[in-house]
Amino acid sequence: MPFNSIKLITTILIAIALCGCSGVSQEDITSELKFWGGYKYGDTYTLRENIFLLNIILDGQTYYALSPEGGFKKIDRYYSVPMSIKDYKDGHIAKNTVTGRYYQARTEVIDFVKKGTSIECVKLLKKLSKSWFFGETARIVVFAKIIDGPHAGLEVDLSDISKIRVVDDIKINWPNDNLLILNKTTP
């Protein structure tokens, strides 16, 4: 087989492995109690710190997320953020950015949500990523509604302000006590 044919076939196989037979889907599982982890539908929390409000574009979906400053020690960070609120205010975003696990997501800092702001847990999604090459992964995402302040009414992903525990090979969210204070729990 000529060298050019081998090169062409190899290129096609690599492209199929990396891009082909893959997809992302999500399912609303708000009613499935076992996936709420340490959260409950209707629970309200108060933010202990100023937290970045992000606009995320990933896999053709646009949503909002909360994420602590880059200087906050977080192993399971999903989204990229500036090192501090001060860096954000001073315009030093590009050179002082902490990269999250979803580095390929388009992440835009919209503002920050102030310490003392209340949020209410309102939705639970199961996100599935399927790839012929990498297999299938599932992740549970808790969404909360911002109750007060200038961003009241926005639904936000709590992944970066949560702790992650793996249960039956699925990543489940638990409130991070360093960032959230429980106000009211639902029976």
Side-chain angles (χ1 to χ4, degrees):
M1 192 178 272
F3 179 71
N4 284 340
S5 297
I6 293 172
K7 198 169 159 182
L8 176 63
I9 291 170
T10 302
T11 303
I12 291 170
L13 289 175
I14 289 172
I16 289 171
L18 294 177
C19 302
C21 302
S22 63
V24 177
S25 63
Q26 65 183 27
E27 175 186 357
D28 189 324
I29 57 169
T30 302
S31 62
E32 296 187 38
L33 298 179
K34 69 179 181 178
F35 291 113
W36 277 94
Y39 292 100
K40 288 182 188 171
Y41 179 86
D43 280 0
T44 61
Y45 292 86
T46 299
L47 299 180
R48 287 185 185 265
E49 304 286 334
N50 292 332
I51 303 286
F52 284 113
L53 175 61
L54 308 175
N55 182 30
I56 308 294
I57 299 174
L58 180 65
D59 300 320
Q61 299 170 354
T62 301
Y63 55 95
Y64 297 101
L66 295 179
S67 188
E69 296 178 312
F72 182 81
K73 302 296 183 221
K74 174 132 178 60
I75 296 170
D76 292 321
R77 181 182 296 279
Y78 284 94
Y79 307 112
S80 302
V81 294
M83 193 62 157
S84 69
I85 300 283
K86 183 181 180 328
D87 284 347
Y88 169 70
K89 287 180 178 178
D90 294 345
H92 302 296
I93 298 173
K95 68 179 183 178
N96 293 330
T97 297
V98 174
T99 304
R101 187 176 299 184
Y102 283 169
Y103 57 88
Q104 74 274 27
R106 188 174 138 231
T107 303
E108 176 188 5
V109 176
I110 296 175
D111 199 358
F112 63 93
V113 179
K114 291 184 179 179
K115 172 182 178 177
T117 299
S118 296
I119 59 174
E120 178 183 6
C121 298
V122 294
K123 183 168 57 176
L124 194 63
L125 294 180
K126 183 177 184 180
K127 295 193 173 204
L128 293 171
S129 298
K130 297 176 186 177
S131 168
W132 174 79
F133 187 73
F134 295 109
E136 180 177 291
T137 60
R139 149 174 121 85
I140 306 300
V141 181
V142 176
F143 281 84
K145 180 174 59 175
I146 298 175
I147 297 173
D148 48 24
H151 306 292
L154 284 182
E155 280 190 10
V156 291
D157 172 348
L158 300 185
S159 297
D160 271 4
I161 62 171
S162 300
K163 294 179 180 178
I164 305 296
R165 294 185 189 166
V166 178
V167 178
D168 296 329
D169 294 327
I170 297 176
K171 294 176 181 176
I172 307 284
N173 294 281
W174 296 81
N176 187 326
D177 296 336
N178 295 316
L179 298 171
L180 297 169
I181 302 167
L182 178 63
N183 292 335
K184 177 189 81 120
T185 189
T186 333

